[in-house]
Amino acid sequence: IDKDVSFFQGQIYHRLSKLDKAMETYKAFIKDNEGKNTYETTHANQYLNECVFAKEMMNKPADVNITNLGTTINTRFDEYCPSITGNGELMVFTSRRSTTVGGEIDEGSDYKFFEDVYYSRKDRDGNWSKAFGVDGEVNTPTYDAVLSIAPDGSEMFIYKNNKNSQGDIFSSSYDRHEDSWRAPEKLPRPVNTSYFESSASITADGEKLYFVSEREGGYGQGDIYFSKKTNDGWGKPKNLGTVINTDLDEKFVFIHPNGKTLYFASNGHQCLGGYDIFKTEFLNGQWSIPVNLGYPINTVNEESTFSLTKDNKTMYIAAEYGDTYGERDIYSIDVSNYPLISAGYESSGYGTLILNLKDAEGKVLKG
């Protein structure tokens, strides 16, 4: 194999879960390019480590049950970013299906239908109703994607990318009298900037907003920030720091209704491949080391958008698992027997190690 081709062949094997072949190909590529410091050699080593980790995770799968939500929710087109209310009865999500407002295709980009926001309600038997576009003023003929819905169902965060707003977070409030959603309003500075902002999740009390931004001063591509509510908007955002953010990309964030458990998607922590979902807890004033949710929730492909019920028993995730109807589908995952998720904050197994580092003379080092 031509050594310029073998790097990409390794990626193909990797995405097909042919991990032994992928590792063999990556190793050959690394050997053939020994001493070189290029994009490909750096990533070949990263991907090789991902294959090793993926084999380990796949040999000890988590005790979860994954179910495709079926054709009441999914189509042959893309469905993603499912978000559930705290009571578990309303789900909103984004789709690029032919029934979007205007029914137009993005001929300037990927020739897929534009995004719209859809919703489904759970009936008394626990089944999801057929999905329809949300009522009101959220959906337009161009890109309209839901980022999340507030736990009480009163507010949705919307992502817009058009000629007037390129990569910004908007908020739409629910009008209970009209049973519809009001026109989204762009969040002011300092949440939105001239840089790319995406993904947003609000705490149950409405006091903190977690979001992703590529603004200056971060540690990588997208970083996760949080902002506190003020009398006239949102306060100055704070970066969650290097325990959470990496020199690569954090692209999705979900704060659990308990306000202390944070989930996010990243390709900068130890992954199986692509983006994986991680969990961290806020303990003793700091975030714990993120933990990969493991296989089969995470796979060698991308898993990045999801929502979790308040009782920690059911996850709703967008993924390209083996039984999709086309592209990304929305699945429910029963995690009630998976302690990493179902145990919840109060009974989780996290702890904090506090230590002092001393020099050779026994003097405590500051910082």
Side-chain angles (χ1 to χ4, degrees), residues 153-205:
S154 65
E155 184 178 18
M156 268 198 302
F157 292 97
I158 307 295
Y159 170 81
K160 285 185 175 289
N161 185 8
N162 53 44
K163 63 180 180 181
N164 298 318
S165 184
Q166 297 181 352
D168 286 316
I169 300 170
F170 287 68
S171 172
S172 172
S173 59
Y174 180 62
D175 187 332
R176 297 187 182 277
H177 296 292
E178 298 293 331
D179 191 24
S180 64
W181 292 91
R182 297 188 178 98
E185 297 182 1
K186 184 176 177 179
L187 295 188
R189 289 178 177 270
V191 173
N192 284 313
T193 66
S194 58
Y195 295 90
F196 179 79
E197 276 79 39
S198 68
S199 188
S201 182
I202 197 168
T203 53
D205 61 8

Side-chain angles (χ1 to χ4, degrees), residues 45-344:
N45 280 285
Q46 175 191 340
Y47 299 155
L48 178 59
N49 289 332
E50 289 179 353
C51 288
V52 174
F53 184 66
K55 289 190 69 173
E56 179 185 343
M57 292 293 99
M58 293 169 75
N59 284 332
K60 50 180 182 181
D63 185 8
V64 299
N65 185 29
I66 302 176
T67 304
N68 189 303
L69 289 188
T71 54
T72 57
I73 302 293
N74 295 311
T75 65
R76 69 181 180 88
F77 303 103
D78 267 316
E79 282 79 36
Y80 47 92
C81 210
S83 185
I84 196 93
T85 51
N87 60 15
E89 296 179 359
L90 172 66
M91 177 171 62
V92 292
F93 62 95
T94 304
S95 181
R96 300 187 68 177
R97 59 186 69 179
S98 57
T99 57
T100 54
V101 172
E104 296 182 3
I105 291 173
D106 185 0
E107 296 182 357
S109 179
D110 55 11
Y111 283 83
K112 293 183 178 182
F113 289 101
F114 284 101
E115 296 172 319
D116 265 2
V117 181
Y118 290 77
Y119 78 97
S120 175
R121 294 186 184 276
K122 186 174 282 190
D123 62 25
R124 294 180 180 179
D125 297 323
N127 299 313
W128 290 103
S129 67
K130 182 175 176 61
F132 292 97
V134 296
D135 296 315
E137 302 176 77
V138 169
N139 291 325
T140 69
T142 57
Y143 284 107
D144 308 285
V146 65
L147 300 176
S148 65
I149 189 168
D152 64 1
S154 65
E155 184 178 18
M156 268 198 302
F157 292 97
I158 307 295
Y159 170 81
K160 285 185 175 289
N161 185 8
N162 53 44
K163 63 180 180 181
N164 298 318
S165 184
Q166 297 181 352
D168 286 316
I169 300 170
F170 287 68
S171 172
S172 172
S173 59
Y174 180 62
D175 187 332
R176 297 187 182 277
H177 296 292
E178 298 293 331
D179 191 24
S180 64
W181 292 91
R182 297 188 178 98
E185 297 182 1
K186 184 176 177 179
L187 295 188
R189 289 178 177 270
V191 173
N192 284 313
T193 66
S194 58
Y195 295 90
F196 179 79
E197 276 79 39
S198 68
S199 188
S201 182
I202 197 168
T203 53
D205 61 8
E207 292 299 310
K208 286 185 180 179
L209 180 71
Y210 291 83
F211 65 96
V212 172
S213 176
E214 293 185 3
R215 67 189 61 200
E216 286 185 324
Y219 298 101
Q221 293 169 266
D223 275 9
I224 300 173
Y225 295 78
F226 80 93
S227 181
K228 291 184 179 180
K229 194 113 181 197
T230 63
N231 292 332
D232 56 353
W234 294 98
K236 183 179 179 181
K238 294 183 179 180
N239 190 298
L240 263 59
T242 54
V243 171
I244 305 297
N245 294 312
T246 66
D247 58 354
L248 294 179
D249 195 26
E250 282 64 52
K251 69 180 298 185
F252 176 82
V253 62
F254 170 77
I255 183 68
H256 189 276
N258 67 22
K260 299 177 180 178
T261 309
L262 188 81
Y263 294 86
F264 64 96
S266 172
N267 65 357
H269 293 277
Q270 183 63 72
C271 298
L272 285 74
Y275 289 83
D276 281 358
I277 299 171
F278 297 81
K279 175 185 178 181
T280 178
E281 303 272 10
F282 194 70
L283 297 170
N284 300 322
Q286 60 187 14
W287 292 103
S288 63
I289 299 296
V291 178
N292 190 302
L293 295 191
Y295 181 84
I297 295 174
N298 290 321
T299 70
V300 294
N301 294 305
E302 177 178 330
E303 289 76 38
S304 58
T305 62
F306 82 101
S307 187
L308 184 65
T309 55
K310 187 176 180 179
D311 62 6
N312 297 305
K313 292 182 178 180
T314 308
M315 173 184 285
Y316 293 92
I317 188 172
E320 293 183 68
Y321 296 144
D323 59 346
T324 63
Y325 288 95
E327 301 185 60
R328 281 172 290 181
D329 278 0
I330 296 175
Y331 293 78
S332 66
I333 305 181
D334 181 353
V335 295
S336 57
N337 294 319
Y338 188 24
L340 177 61
I341 299 175
S342 62

